[in-house]
Amino acid sequence: GSNWKVINREHAKKLIIDAMVMGSICARAECYYHGWAGLPQDRKRAFELFRKPASEGNVFALNRVAYSYDMGEGVKKDLKQSIMFYERAARKGFSTAQNNLGNCYLDGVGVAINYQKSLDLFHKSARQGNSSAMNHIAYCYDRGLGVPKNQKKAIEWYKKAVEQRNSFAQYNLGYCYWNGEGVKQDYNMAREYYHLSALQGHDLAMCELAFCYEDALGVQKNLVRALYWFRKAARAGIEEAKEGLMRVGLKIRNQKVPKLVRWELRELCLSMLTKEIVLASKWPVESASRRNSLSLSDGTG
């Protein structure tokens, strides 16, 4: 359905696999998309399976077909087709498609930029509880896109999305506390939200959290934890995290590690560091410097 609820991802996965066993084509397509239930990850096969229920008006399938055309996953990238399928699902009230279509109008992907139209779609989606749409609305207020800039309202919407554990909103709220935008600057609150976001795999949040531990901002200095989070962010392709990994690693190598850190852990970190410094230059770079930039959702809902 189109109701957006906070749900454990593993539970959602189980429900989809159960539905596949019961014969759901959409569920089977989703399993191929992710490589679940012993099926190989096959985006082309997933796209082919999604097309049949999409032709019958299934909103989930319509959105998935649109997203496949949008990203070029399993099919040749075609933004015109993507917009057409997003619109069909959005007209049927599917919140994820409304959010995705709004994002297209926000960024001018497949359509001309239209901030007002994007906001209208985000609000329709947010009314159904879609946390990604809430994060988008907050971003629009934060940047003054389609509405007068209003950081107080931005904070309100970020917090609504954070209540649903949206990792992008958690990162963005952390950014606001870090920089004192719309709220009083508070490194401790920033670190808390970065941590929540990082635990869900947000790459920039991982990098920011590492900086907090390295520089003792909002938390006690802990170079081992800084190394840990820089390593995870570096593997996600964040360039500054690669630099941080080497910098913190050398600090650990050249300084005495606090007594709270066991000798065995110190040796493990030093061993890990040697390997990671060699690998750092080989990891993919997602962009140049992305530290402290607001983040939007990936569009999958």
Side-chain angles (χ1 to χ4, degrees), residues 95-124:
S95 68
T96 305
Q98 291 168 338
N99 175 63
N100 291 348
L101 185 58
N103 203 25
C104 291
Y105 279 107
L106 183 67
D107 295 333
V109 177
V111 290
I113 290 177
N114 188 325
Y115 295 137
Q116 192 56 58
K117 195 162 187 176
S118 69
L119 266 173
D120 289 344
L121 286 161
F122 291 147
H123 277 289
K124 286 180 181 179

Side-chain angles (χ1 to χ4, degrees), residues 122-142:
F122 291 147
H123 277 289
K124 286 180 181 179
S125 181
R127 281 196 290 270
Q128 297 186 65
N130 189 306
S131 64
S132 291
M134 294 173 188
N135 181 59
H136 282 112
I137 292 170
Y139 181 83
C140 289
Y141 276 115
D142 207 344

Side-chain angles (χ1 to χ4, degrees), residues 34-69:
H34 294 286
W36 290 344
L39 295 176
Q41 188 177 60
D42 188 337
R43 300 286 166 83
K44 183 177 180 180
R45 178 62 176 150
F47 174 78
E48 292 170 350
L49 286 170
F50 278 129
R51 282 193 65 84
K52 185 178 187 300
S55 68
E56 297 170 350
N58 182 292
V59 290
F60 182 85
L62 285 168
N63 182 69
R64 270 302 191 194
V65 169
Y67 187 75
S68 296
Y69 277 122

Side-chain angles (χ1 to χ4, degrees), residues 1 4 23 25 30 38 42 57 64 86 94 117 142 168 191 210 287:
W4 192 263
I25 296 176
E30 192 71 2
D42 188 337
R64 270 302 191 194
Y86 278 143
F94 190 55
K117 195 162 187 176
D142 207 344
F168 293 88
R191 190 267 308 167
S287 66

Side-chain angles (χ1 to χ4, degrees), residues 7-24 26-28 30-31 36:
I7 187 168
N8 181 280
R9 290 185 180 184
E10 286 303 310
H11 181 57
K13 177 180 175 180
K14 183 180 183 300
L15 291 176
I16 290 170
I17 292 173
D18 288 346
M20 181 192 73
V21 172
M22 295 176 68
S24 168
C26 269
R28 177 170 289 275
E30 192 71 2
C31 288
W36 290 344

Side-chain angles (χ1 to χ4, degrees), residues 253 267-280:
R253 178 172 288 175
E267 292 303 305
L268 175 62
C269 286
L270 293 178
S271 173
M272 178 186 77
L273 171 68
T274 303
K275 296 177 183 177
E276 299 299 339
I277 286 179
V278 172
L279 290 173

Side-chain angles (χ1 to χ4, degrees), residues 22-228:
M22 295 176 68
S24 168
I25 296 176
C26 269
R28 177 170 289 275
E30 192 71 2
C31 288
Y32 270 114
Y33 184 87
H34 294 286
W36 290 344
L39 295 176
Q41 188 177 60
D42 188 337
R43 300 286 166 83
K44 183 177 180 180
R45 178 62 176 150
F47 174 78
E48 292 170 350
L49 286 170
F50 278 129
R51 282 193 65 84
K52 185 178 187 300
S55 68
E56 297 170 350
N58 182 292
V59 290
F60 182 85
L62 285 168
N63 182 69
R64 270 302 191 194
V65 169
Y67 187 75
S68 296
Y69 277 122
D70 194 353
M71 298 291 108
E73 292 184 345
V75 67
K76 185 178 179 180
K77 189 180 182 80
D78 188 330
L79 295 179
K80 184 177 180 180
Q81 287 289 316
S82 174
I83 295 298
M84 182 185 76
F85 279 97
Y86 278 143
E87 286 179 338
R88 286 176 62 188
R91 282 196 299 269
K92 287 175 174 286
F94 190 55
S95 68
T96 305
Q98 291 168 338
N99 175 63
N100 291 348
L101 185 58
N103 203 25
C104 291
Y105 279 107
L106 183 67
D107 295 333
V109 177
V111 290
I113 290 177
N114 188 325
Y115 295 137
Q116 192 56 58
K117 195 162 187 176
S118 69
L119 266 173
D120 289 344
L121 286 161
F122 291 147
H123 277 289
K124 286 180 181 179
S125 181
R127 281 196 290 270
Q128 297 186 65
N130 189 306
S131 64
S132 291
M134 294 173 188
N135 181 59
H136 282 112
I137 292 170
Y139 181 83
C140 289
Y141 276 115
D142 207 344
R143 290 294 184 255
L145 303 175
V147 288
K149 186 170 183 176
N150 188 325
Q151 291 185 323
K152 183 179 179 181
K153 281 190 174 292
I155 295 298
E156 290 175 0
W157 279 102
Y158 282 139
K159 286 183 176 180
K160 287 181 181 181
V162 164
E163 287 175 3
Q164 296 199 43
R165 298 179 296 189
N166 183 285
S167 66
F168 293 88
Q170 289 167 342
Y171 170 82
N172 290 341
L173 194 53
Y175 169 90
C176 291
Y177 276 108
W178 184 278
N179 293 283
E181 295 187 3
V183 290
K184 183 179 178 180
Q185 188 176 52
D186 188 329
Y187 290 131
N188 184 58
M189 290 294 289
R191 190 267 308 167
E192 286 185 16
Y193 284 115
Y194 284 149
H195 191 202
L196 289 171
S197 182
L199 288 174
Q200 295 197 69
H202 194 289
D203 50 7
L204 291 175
M206 293 174 188
C207 190
E208 293 301 330
L209 185 57
F211 279 116
C212 291
Y213 280 117
E214 180 186 6
D215 299 330
L217 294 170
V219 68
Q220 185 176 353
K221 187 172 185 175
N222 189 319
L223 294 180
V224 173
R225 288 187 179 180
L227 186 75
Y228 171 81

